[in-house]
Amino acid sequence: MDYIEAKKLLTPTKSTEWFGTDYTTNIYRGCCHGCIYCDSRSECYHIDDFDRVRAKENAVSILQDDLRRKIKKGVVGMGAMSDPYNPHEEQLELTRAALKQIDRYGFGVTIATKSPLVTRDIDVLTDIKKHAPVLVKLSITAAEDTLSKMIEQHVAPSSKRFEAVERLASSGLYCGVLLMPVLPFINDTKENMVDIVRRAKQNGARFVYPSFGVTLRQNQREHYFQKLEGLFPGLKEKYIAQYGNQYQCGSPNFKTLYAAFAKECERVGLLYKMKDIIESYKTGYEYQQLSLL
């Protein structure tokens, strides 16, 4: 494992609209999941050799100092730019150590991951839940393992991620599914949407939050098109004809898909609107501005 220098680990968010997070932190840089669509690979984020994971030097002690200095308690988001549960985390346990510091200083946490390894830390997450909001999001874009292994090549299959949802839910933790991105002409089918919602419900999820489309810019566009040529011959040309050089590439079937998705969520009793999800997982918790004195 290579290490890179870091001066601070806790960054205030510009808005709490994204799952109610007040701060973000990334213990690692880069990601080895091999998802063909990852926007974090884009040049604007200045992550060289994105597919190689590096840890931030002295990350836990820096995060501890950042947390200690914050007067305002809040929810810390993990997993925005790099999955906190990459394969190296199993041995390094940097994310686990960071969660212990989040617990120690009275903060809450939201986690976005594709890895069932998150279930290892149920004990720490349960401790945090005693005093602050906890929300875990498992990213699942394809109901069937065959498709998930094609577009997310080095990640546990969807079935294992659904099992992780079940373990988290059975432990009393608030968890759900990130259904994003919904890739045009690949996983944007009514069957896939409905199946994911149903399986999420069966495994104890509280919500499914979708994004119907994919973002393509800079080198990520080139990477995505290269992968399409190998996995789905002819689809690159279809993308170019449909979207040209657009950044936002929404599903052509958005209206039909969203209607079917929302209807199924309503039927089975799952939340799917951001405002409702935030209100639900934060119910019973209040943060107060602490006096400097």
PDB file of all heavy atoms in Angstrom, residues 62-77:
ATOM      1  N   ILE A  62      -5.171  12.521  11.827  1.00  0.00           N
ATOM      2  CA  ILE A  62      -5.587  13.813  11.276  1.00  0.00           C
ATOM      3  C   ILE A  62      -7.098  13.983  11.417  1.00  0.00           C
ATOM      4  O   ILE A  62      -7.582  15.050  11.816  1.00  0.00           O
ATOM      5  CB  ILE A  62      -5.171  13.935   9.795  1.00  0.00           C
ATOM      6  CG1 ILE A  62      -3.654  13.940   9.672  1.00  0.00           C
ATOM      7  CG2 ILE A  62      -5.759  15.206   9.177  1.00  0.00           C
ATOM      8  CD1 ILE A  62      -3.154  13.873   8.234  1.00  0.00           C
ATOM      9  N   LEU A  63      -7.839  12.922  11.115  1.00  0.00           N
ATOM     10  CA  LEU A  63      -9.288  12.979  11.261  1.00  0.00           C
ATOM     11  C   LEU A  63      -9.668  13.216  12.720  1.00  0.00           C
ATOM     12  O   LEU A  63     -10.585  13.996  13.020  1.00  0.00           O
ATOM     13  CB  LEU A  63      -9.926  11.685  10.760  1.00  0.00           C
ATOM     14  CG  LEU A  63     -11.454  11.600  10.904  1.00  0.00           C
ATOM     15  CD1 LEU A  63     -12.137  12.694  10.093  1.00  0.00           C
ATOM     16  CD2 LEU A  63     -11.963  10.227  10.480  1.00  0.00           C
ATOM     17  N   GLN A  64      -8.983  12.550  13.623  1.00  0.00           N
ATOM     18  CA  GLN A  64      -9.247  12.743  15.046  1.00  0.00           C
ATOM     19  C   GLN A  64      -9.082  14.210  15.435  1.00  0.00           C
ATOM     20  O   GLN A  64      -9.923  14.777  16.143  1.00  0.00           O
ATOM     21  CB  GLN A  64      -8.302  11.876  15.884  1.00  0.00           C
ATOM     22  CG  GLN A  64      -8.471  12.073  17.383  1.00  0.00           C
ATOM     23  CD  GLN A  64      -7.451  11.287  18.194  1.00  0.00           C
ATOM     24  OE1 GLN A  64      -6.628  10.568  17.637  1.00  0.00           O
ATOM     25  NE2 GLN A  64      -7.498  11.418  19.500  1.00  0.00           N
ATOM     26  N   ASP A  65      -8.019  14.824  14.950  1.00  0.00           N
ATOM     27  CA  ASP A  65      -7.762  16.228  15.270  1.00  0.00           C
ATOM     28  C   ASP A  65      -8.833  17.126  14.649  1.00  0.00           C
ATOM     29  O   ASP A  65      -9.303  18.077  15.281  1.00  0.00           O
ATOM     30  CB  ASP A  65      -6.380  16.626  14.764  1.00  0.00           C
ATOM     31  CG  ASP A  65      -5.931  17.976  15.290  1.00  0.00           C
ATOM     32  OD1 ASP A  65      -5.968  18.178  16.522  1.00  0.00           O
ATOM     33  OD2 ASP A  65      -5.578  18.842  14.476  1.00  0.00           O
ATOM     34  N   ASP A  66      -9.246  16.808  13.408  1.00  0.00           N
ATOM     35  CA  ASP A  66     -10.304  17.586  12.750  1.00  0.00           C
ATOM     36  C   ASP A  66     -11.612  17.500  13.517  1.00  0.00           C
ATOM     37  O   ASP A  66     -12.309  18.506  13.712  1.00  0.00           O
ATOM     38  CB  ASP A  66     -10.508  17.083  11.320  1.00  0.00           C
ATOM     39  CG  ASP A  66      -9.373  17.466  10.384  1.00  0.00           C
ATOM     40  OD1 ASP A  66      -8.534  18.302  10.776  1.00  0.00           O
ATOM     41  OD2 ASP A  66      -9.326  16.929   9.264  1.00  0.00           O
ATOM     42  N   LEU A  67     -11.962  16.306  13.947  1.00  0.00           N
ATOM     43  CA  LEU A  67     -13.204  16.110  14.693  1.00  0.00           C
ATOM     44  C   LEU A  67     -13.160  16.834  16.034  1.00  0.00           C
ATOM     45  O   LEU A  67     -14.135  17.457  16.464  1.00  0.00           O
ATOM     46  CB  LEU A  67     -13.448  14.619  14.918  1.00  0.00           C
ATOM     47  CG  LEU A  67     -13.791  13.777  13.688  1.00  0.00           C
ATOM     48  CD1 LEU A  67     -13.685  12.290  14.022  1.00  0.00           C
ATOM     49  CD2 LEU A  67     -15.189  14.097  13.171  1.00  0.00           C
ATOM     50  N   ARG A  68     -12.022  16.749  16.674  1.00  0.00           N
ATOM     51  CA  ARG A  68     -11.864  17.380  17.989  1.00  0.00           C
ATOM     52  C   ARG A  68     -12.043  18.892  17.908  1.00  0.00           C
ATOM     53  O   ARG A  68     -12.573  19.524  18.833  1.00  0.00           O
ATOM     54  CB  ARG A  68     -10.481  17.038  18.538  1.00  0.00           C
ATOM     55  CG  ARG A  68     -10.180  17.618  19.916  1.00  0.00           C
ATOM     56  CD  ARG A  68      -8.793  17.194  20.373  1.00  0.00           C
ATOM     57  NE  ARG A  68      -7.754  17.642  19.469  1.00  0.00           N
ATOM     58  CZ  ARG A  68      -7.224  18.876  19.485  1.00  0.00           C
ATOM     59  NH1 ARG A  68      -7.673  19.784  20.347  1.00  0.00           N
ATOM     60  NH2 ARG A  68      -6.256  19.206  18.646  1.00  0.00           N
ATOM     61  N   ARG A  69     -11.623  19.483  16.797  1.00  0.00           N
ATOM     62  CA  ARG A  69     -11.665  20.937  16.646  1.00  0.00           C
ATOM     63  C   ARG A  69     -13.061  21.454  16.242  1.00  0.00           C
ATOM     64  O   ARG A  69     -13.325  22.656  16.385  1.00  0.00           O
ATOM     65  CB  ARG A  69     -10.660  21.377  15.582  1.00  0.00           C
ATOM     66  CG  ARG A  69      -9.211  21.159  15.997  1.00  0.00           C
ATOM     67  CD  ARG A  69      -8.278  21.430  14.825  1.00  0.00           C
ATOM     68  NE  ARG A  69      -6.886  21.186  15.181  1.00  0.00           N
ATOM     69  CZ  ARG A  69      -6.076  22.124  15.685  1.00  0.00           C
ATOM     70  NH1 ARG A  69      -6.529  23.353  15.902  1.00  0.00           N
ATOM     71  NH2 ARG A  69      -4.819  21.829  15.978  1.00  0.00           N
ATOM     72  N   LYS A  70     -13.908  20.583  15.736  1.00  0.00           N
ATOM     73  CA  LYS A  70     -15.215  21.037  15.265  1.00  0.00           C
ATOM     74  C   LYS A  70     -16.137  21.335  16.436  1.00  0.00           C
ATOM     75  O   LYS A  70     -16.410  20.483  17.278  1.00  0.00           O
ATOM     76  CB  LYS A  70     -15.864  19.977  14.352  1.00  0.00           C
ATOM     77  CG  LYS A  70     -15.146  19.781  13.019  1.00  0.00           C
ATOM     78  CD  LYS A  70     -15.123  21.054  12.197  1.00  0.00           C
ATOM     79  CE  LYS A  70     -14.399  20.836  10.870  1.00  0.00           C
ATOM     80  NZ  LYS A  70     -14.280  22.104  10.100  1.00  0.00           N
ATOM     81  N   ILE A  71     -16.663  22.564  16.447  1.00  0.00           N
ATOM     82  CA  ILE A  71     -17.603  22.954  17.487  1.00  0.00           C
ATOM     83  C   ILE A  71     -18.979  22.365  17.193  1.00  0.00           C
ATOM     84  O   ILE A  71     -19.668  21.897  18.097  1.00  0.00           O
ATOM     85  CB  ILE A  71     -17.689  24.493  17.576  1.00  0.00           C
ATOM     86  CG1 ILE A  71     -16.332  25.082  17.947  1.00  0.00           C
ATOM     87  CG2 ILE A  71     -18.751  24.924  18.584  1.00  0.00           C
ATOM     88  CD1 ILE A  71     -16.265  26.581  17.834  1.00  0.00           C
ATOM     89  N   LYS A  72     -19.353  22.390  15.933  1.00  0.00           N
ATOM     90  CA  LYS A  72     -20.669  21.903  15.546  1.00  0.00           C
ATOM     91  C   LYS A  72     -20.616  20.415  15.205  1.00  0.00           C
ATOM     92  O   LYS A  72     -19.890  19.988  14.308  1.00  0.00           O
ATOM     93  CB  LYS A  72     -21.190  22.677  14.341  1.00  0.00           C
ATOM     94  CG  LYS A  72     -22.585  22.261  13.901  1.00  0.00           C
ATOM     95  CD  LYS A  72     -23.040  23.033  12.678  1.00  0.00           C
ATOM     96  CE  LYS A  72     -24.420  22.551  12.224  1.00  0.00           C
ATOM     97  NZ  LYS A  72     -24.876  23.284  11.020  1.00  0.00           N
ATOM     98  N   LYS A  73     -21.369  19.629  15.941  1.00  0.00           N
ATOM     99  CA  LYS A  73     -21.482  18.212  15.630  1.00  0.00           C
ATOM    100  C   LYS A  73     -22.317  18.049  14.361  1.00  0.00           C
ATOM    101  O   LYS A  73     -23.073  18.932  13.979  1.00  0.00           O
ATOM    102  CB  LYS A  73     -22.139  17.448  16.775  1.00  0.00           C
ATOM    103  CG  LYS A  73     -21.455  17.595  18.120  1.00  0.00           C
ATOM    104  CD  LYS A  73     -20.042  17.058  18.113  1.00  0.00           C
ATOM    105  CE  LYS A  73     -19.407  17.197  19.495  1.00  0.00           C
ATOM    106  NZ  LYS A  73     -18.000  16.765  19.504  1.00  0.00           N
ATOM    107  N   GLY A  74     -22.199  16.914  13.733  1.00  0.00           N
ATOM    108  CA  GLY A  74     -22.960  16.684  12.523  1.00  0.00           C
ATOM    109  C   GLY A  74     -22.749  15.283  11.995  1.00  0.00           C
ATOM    110  O   GLY A  74     -22.168  14.426  12.667  1.00  0.00           O
ATOM    111  N   VAL A  75     -23.208  15.056  10.774  1.00  0.00           N
ATOM    112  CA  VAL A  75     -23.100  13.749  10.126  1.00  0.00           C
ATOM    113  C   VAL A  75     -21.947  13.781   9.129  1.00  0.00           C
ATOM    114  O   VAL A  75     -21.868  14.672   8.277  1.00  0.00           O
ATOM    115  CB  VAL A  75     -24.405  13.376   9.410  1.00  0.00           C
ATOM    116  CG1 VAL A  75     -24.242  12.064   8.645  1.00  0.00           C
ATOM    117  CG2 VAL A  75     -25.545  13.263  10.415  1.00  0.00           C
ATOM    118  N   VAL A  76     -21.059  12.804   9.237  1.00  0.00           N
ATOM    119  CA  VAL A  76     -19.893  12.699   8.358  1.00  0.00           C
ATOM    120  C   VAL A  76     -20.193  11.698   7.243  1.00  0.00           C
ATOM    121  O   VAL A  76     -20.556  10.548   7.512  1.00  0.00           O
ATOM    122  CB  VAL A  76     -18.649  12.237   9.137  1.00  0.00           C
ATOM    123  CG1 VAL A  76     -17.442  12.121   8.199  1.00  0.00           C
ATOM    124  CG2 VAL A  76     -18.343  13.199  10.285  1.00  0.00           C
ATOM    125  N   GLY A  77     -20.041  12.131   6.003  1.00  0.00           N
ATOM    126  CA  GLY A  77     -20.267  11.247   4.864  1.00  0.00           C
ATOM    127  C   GLY A  77     -18.982  10.561   4.441  1.00  0.00           C
ATOM    128  O   GLY A  77     -17.943  11.204   4.266  1.00  0.00           O
TER     129      GLY A  77
END
